[in-house]
Amino acid sequence: MSTWQDRLLTDTPRSRREARLGALYRSWLQFRSNRLALLGLAIVLLLIVVAAFAPWIATHHPNEQNLAQRLLAPGGAHWLGTDEFGRDVFSRIVYGARITLYIVALVAIIAAPIGLIVGTAAGYLGGWVDAVLMRITDVFLAFPSLILALAFVAALGPGIENAVIAIALTAWPPYARIARAETLTIRNADYIAAARLQGASTGRILSRHIMPLCLSSLTVRVTLDMAGIILTAAGLGFLGLGAQPPLAEWGAMVSSGRRYILDQWWVATIPGIAIFAVSLAFNLLGDGLRDVLDPRQKK
Amino acid sequence: MISVRDLAITFGSGPGAVHAVRGVSFDVADGESFGLVGESGSGKSTVLRALAGLNRLWTGSATLGETSARVQQPRLVQMVFQDPYASLHPRHTVDRALSEPLEIHRIGDANERVERALADVGLGPAFRFRYPNQLSGGQRQRVAIARALMLEPRVLLLDEPTSALDVSVQAEILNLLRRLRVERRLTMILVSHNLAVVAHMCDRLAVMNRGLVVEEMDVATLRRAEPREAYTRQLLTASKGYDREVASGIVTFD
Amino acid sequence: MNVAPPPLLAVEDLRVSFATPTGPFHAVRGVSFTLGRERLGIVGESGSGKSLTGRAIMRLLPASAQLSARRLSFDGIDLLSASTKTLRGLRGARISLVMQDPKYSLNPVMTVGEQIAEAARIHGGVSKIEARLRALAMLEAVRIRDPERVFRLFPHEVSGGMGQRIMIAMMLVPEPDVLIADEPTSALDVTVQLQVLAILDDLVRQRGMGLLFISHDLELVASFCDRVLVMYAGRVMEELSARDLASARHPYTRGLLNSLPRLGDERAELPTLSRDPAWLEER
Ligand SMILES: Nc1ncnc2c1ncn2[C@@H]1O[C@H](COP(=O)(O)OP(=O)(O)OP(=O)(O)O)[C@@H](O)[C@H]1O
Ligand SMILES: Nc1ncnc2c1ncn2[C@@H]1O[C@H](COP(=O)(O)OP(=O)(O)OP(=O)(O)O)[C@@H](O)[C@H]1O
Ligand SMILES: [Mg+2]
Ligand SMILES: [Mg+2]
């Protein structure tokens, strides 16, 4: 075994950083043994690379119309064919990766922290804080998320930012629930009592002692939910309430291609496959993460 | 140093209320080591948690130094918990656990202090950046003791610090506590089921039953096995090991 | 002629190892013993593999553990080759394990009474109301005062000793043939400890239960058990009759005995164990 691995796996790390890296490396070793999770990770990484280097990967401009080359079958200069405006489907998929990633990242950045803060505060403080916060959460949970998102978009107006906000607003309540349940199991632990004894403020206990412990189950859940978020975003796009044309959003592409589904199958099917593959990848990744981060939740 | 008068603690209210502690009084002098023994559920941990300021819902009076125990005084009193597996944060390294109190109280030269604290409890620098799951039970308990001593408190509350540890580690921890007590002139309250441990560590002790102090005595009396109360006599007989006859002869004192 | 009854539990050359990134770690290395309708104690320092031995018999090892044995059988059933379904039928119902860490093993968001009642319902196949009564009776049997109240408490609301008795109650509800008790009384005060041990004792004598009693309280084991295994670093150092524990010869056992504080003496410093590398070698 080479020296850097020895350093990472040592029982006697020499600094905080080394300790953290060591713990990460151990998790990675465990994660690595799960083939499907690795596949999921590979697809997600591919999505990120494609989104980052879209201009270099795409063969055409995603919105460049060429009515002379409408609905061309895959092959030749257009690897995945063209759509009804003669736009290159491959290039639109590549640029669509950016939008998908943008939506997923923004929703995660907005929804996860809201859920985390609401859930841990409710669970730790208890009493009326808990009652109020959880009633609000219940109200949000009472509606199916797509319907609620539709309502928000209808109120805010269509567009990708509004779609993101709408999805984020519907995504946080389950996270709050999870964080609260987790907090309830740890709030009475001796190590929390010890932190209080040392004079740690409530804010400090929440942010430095409780939240890190909720983070792993939340990360797992958010990753698993990514699939749903992508589908909701695609659904909004499909209904014309998400990304607006000519933006290359996968859901919207399926929607506009559905008129040609029988004769020119690729226009709708290929973005459909992209949605499917990325959702599946996030699911596999989430499963793998769960085994590493949250072994108790194992099925 | 510690003065407790008519301390009463009730959990819940109405008909379902539990009177966990029903008027307990005792004093512990500066530098003294005081033992608390008694039946399981008699309220020993509850008394300690109240003294530590973790539970403020009590009546009567309990003062540490000049201040009521309702006010948390991290630099005066610290506590070591019974279960070393539950008292360290699973995601914090030893270093983080020991630096946390220094950060909270903005105490400088954290680096040296953490190193010294580890050395004091007999853990080398090799342990500094380990996570709790890389430590044995005894090592964890040492870390917990080191953490309690970071703020240089004058009072240390110990809730069965060795009952989860094996006998050889127990001996190490007891030796450590005795040494620290002398070096730092600590005032200690030690809760334990093991009368021999209490005799080894303490000067005086109180015997509790059902939320009350049954009797207070010094350790010499305990060693001579000359308690005043029948309850304590039963405790002493029971501590001699298993005997079916003794077990069936046990009576409940109310 | 007196033919010895077949043992309830037969363990031969039990080995448990963990694959760690730095190579395999052998936690249990060739443990053999049999358990009849008796009280067998296992003592030894922390990390000597006592709990893993108990869990290996239940086939409840962490997924990362590797188990092997020449023989591991319960009442004629080969536990090594038994199907998951057979094992599930045995666990809890015929072999029970009282885990070392009561608060850790209880569900923190469910009342303790419900948890015992659930055990009764799953294994006894009784109705909800009956399960509740069984749970209350069991709480009373383990000398919990005011069982009605304790039934409704959550794990963090019970004292350390109550938590342990709740675990014992939960494991005794299905009336198992073999009980593996992993430090079941370490948080109990001496009188309650004696009463709980008396319950276990009666089950052994009257119902012929086999008891594997894991503990680090040497004096207790000496007075309570019939036989004792002394473990060190995954191996059985010696096996002796409990009566003879106090006069054991092995330096390891002696070291453990010496490190106990005693009411009678006034040593300032307790001797701690010095370990001999020769103890590690496999014979
Ligand atoms: N948070 C709580 N809510 C309700 N009841 C509680 C709570 N904490 C403790 N109790 C009750 O108070 C009583 C005393 O508990 P305590 O933990 O002080 O006992 P103890 O003397 O430390 O016992 P042990 O030796 O078993 O640890 C018990 O009956 C317990 O059920
Ligand atoms: N999941 C695991 N992965 C790796 N090593 C483990 C695991 N579980 C236990 N071990 C190791 O196996 C050894 C034996 O553990 P075991 O829990 O059986 O000890 P024990 O004798 O019960 O000790 P104690 O008295 O502290 O309970 C220990 O060195 C422990 O670190
Ligand atoms: Mg207690
Ligand atoms: Mg164990």
Side-chain angles (χ1 to χ4, degrees), chain B residues 85, chain C residues 45-52 55 100 182-183 214 216:
Chain B
Y85 291 88
Chain C
E45 63 177 339
S46 184
S48 55
K50 306 183 296 290
S51 300
L52 285 177
R55 299 182 65 143
Q100 183 166 8
D182 195 352
E183 318 223 348
I214 300 173
H216 43 233

Side-chain angles (χ1 to χ4, degrees), chain A residues 196-199, chain B residues 72-78 105 148 151-153:
Chain A
R196 280 169 58 200
L197 261 185
Q198 282 157 355
Chain B
Q72 238 172 30
Q73 306 174 76
R75 309 194 69 158
L76 179 69
V77 50
Q78 284 292 331
H105 295 272
L151 295 175
E152 300 176 355

Side-chain angles (χ1 to χ4, degrees), chain B residues 96-113:
Chain B
R96 172 93 184 267
L98 299 186
S99 331
E100 179 90 356
L102 301 177
E103 268 173 45
I104 294 171
H105 295 272
R106 303 210 174 75
I107 298 173
D109 57 311
N111 207 19
E112 291 87 77
R113 277 173 193 267

Side-chain angles (χ1 to χ4, degrees), chain B:
Chain B
M1 189 65 182
I2 303 172
S3 167
V4 176
R5 285 281 162 281
D6 300 321
L7 180 71
I9 304 169
T10 306
F11 292 105
S13 57
V18 187
H19 303 280
V21 178
R22 305 183 294 163
V24 161
S25 308
F26 59 84
D27 291 288
V28 184
D30 200 359
E32 194 181 21
S33 171
F34 189 75
L36 265 186
V37 302
E39 175 157 338
S40 174
S42 59
K44 306 180 295 292
S45 302
T46 308
V47 169
L48 280 205
R49 293 175 72 91
L51 285 177
L54 287 173
N55 176 1
R56 289 177 201 144
L57 298 172
W58 42 262
T59 58
S61 88
T63 53
L64 291 122
E66 258 76 73
T67 325
S68 158
R70 273 206 186 82
V71 186
Q72 238 172 30
Q73 306 174 76
R75 309 194 69 158
L76 179 69
V77 50
Q78 284 292 331
M79 180 161 167
V80 175
F81 297 87
Q82 171 171 4
D83 185 354
Y85 291 88
S87 63
L88 296 181
H89 193 288
R91 292 284 164 81
H92 288 178
T93 57
V94 172
D95 175 65
R96 172 93 184 267
L98 299 186
S99 331
E100 179 90 356
L102 301 177
E103 268 173 45
I104 294 171
H105 295 272
R106 303 210 174 75
I107 298 173
D109 57 311
N111 207 19
E112 291 87 77
R113 277 173 193 267
V114 170
E115 259 169 34
R116 219 176 319 130
L118 279 176
D120 273 348
V121 294
L123 292 175
F127 290 93
R128 181 160 172 193
F129 297 101
R130 290 200 192 177
Y131 286 95
N133 63 9
Q134 296 170 304
L135 301 175
S136 73
Q139 289 164 348
R140 288 177 196 224
Q141 200 62 304
R142 281 163 190 264
V143 174
I145 292 172
R147 175 181 61 188
L149 294 176
M150 281 320 282
L151 295 175
E152 300 176 355
R154 292 176 49 214
V155 178
L156 196 56
L157 307 174
L158 302 150
D159 193 357
E160 311 209 26
T162 59
S163 78
L165 304 175
D166 76 54
V167 286
S168 133
V169 182
Q170 165 171 289
E172 288 172 28
I173 299 281
L174 294 184
N175 289 340
L176 166 70
L177 286 172
R178 268 180 84 127
R179 200 193 81 218
L180 290 172
R181 184 188 156 204
V182 176
E183 282 174 11
R184 308 206 172 187
R185 293 193 27 80
L186 287 171
T187 309
M188 303 205 298
I189 299 187
L190 171 82
V191 169
S192 177
H193 289 308
N194 189 327
L195 294 180
V197 167
V198 171
H200 184 74
M201 295 293 299
C202 300
D203 311 316
R204 280 186 314 125
L205 65 147
V207 182
M208 283 186 71
N209 181 31
R210 301 220 82 182
L212 293 172
V213 169
V214 177
E215 97 170 272
E216 234 185 275
M217 58 180 156
D218 57 15
V219 160
T221 321
L222 178 70
R223 284 194 198 280
R224 287 196 309 271
E226 288 172 356
R228 196 181 63 221
E229 298 290 325
Y231 178 78
T232 319
R233 264 199 296 283
Q234 176 169 297
L235 213 57
L236 269 167
T237 331
S239 71
K240 294 212 172 78
Y242 179 75
D243 183 326
R244 188 70 186 77
E245 296 300 300
V246 175
S248 15
I250 287 174
V251 286
T252 322
F253 290 82
D254 278 314

Side-chain angles (χ1 to χ4, degrees), chain A residues 230-261:
Chain A
I230 293 172
L231 290 176
T232 311
L236 288 176
F238 185 88
L239 294 171
L241 295 170
Q244 292 301 301
L247 219 50
E249 198 271 327
W250 295 348
M253 286 166 74
V254 174
S255 168
S256 62
R258 75 181 191 282
R259 270 179 289 154
Y260 314 99
I261 190 86

